[in-house]
Amino acid sequence: MSWLTGCCRVEPDQTHEEDKMTVEVSDMPEAKRYEARVDGESKVAGVAEYIRTTELVAFVHTEVEAEYEGAGVGSALARTALDEARAANLRVLATCPFIAGWINRHPEYQDLLYQSRSKVTD
């Protein structure tokens, strides 16, 4: 697997209908990650690892298998994970550069970002 970062990940341009893959993303809470599979295969095509609390979910690492890079697997992981965070009323701490970059490119998800409420100053 290769490590995804927001600066290096290129989303696929337009594809022909016959070239589109179906990406299925599932939350695997026992493994603390989302897993993506392509076209019904049992092989994991990509993962988004997280740490979840009652208030927030921190995305710490995202990986996609080399043969699936550029095919939208990372975007499917990000979109599904963030949609589920929204549905669960969780804030998002994006320490993973790929997830942080994806949110930056999709402003409709920026309202999910965690903001510290601490008033402590030096």
Side-chain angles (χ1 to χ4, degrees), residues 41-58:
E41 295 178 6
S42 61
K43 177 183 178 182
V44 174
V47 299
E49 298 174 356
Y50 63 79
I51 300 168
R52 188 175 298 170
T53 72
T54 58
E55 294 182 8
L56 68 88
V57 58

Side-chain angles (χ1 to χ4, degrees), residues 8-72:
C8 300
R9 175 81 161 119
V10 178
E11 294 300 323
D13 290 294
Q14 297 176 346
T15 59
H16 298 287
E17 196 63 37
E18 65 271 10
D19 294 337
K20 288 187 179 179
M21 296 185 298
T22 301
V23 180
E24 295 179 23
V25 177
S26 301
D27 186 7
M28 308 302 284
E30 66 283 355
K32 298 180 181 174
R33 68 187 198 175
Y34 284 88
E35 294 181 352
R37 290 179 172 74
V38 174
D39 292 334
E41 295 178 6
S42 61
K43 177 183 178 182
V44 174
V47 299
E49 298 174 356
Y50 63 79
I51 300 168
R52 188 175 298 170
T53 72
T54 58
E55 294 182 8
L56 68 88
V57 58
F59 291 99
V60 296
H61 187 64
T62 303
E63 293 185 45
V64 170
E65 289 286 346
E67 66 257 39
Y68 298 110
E69 288 183 4

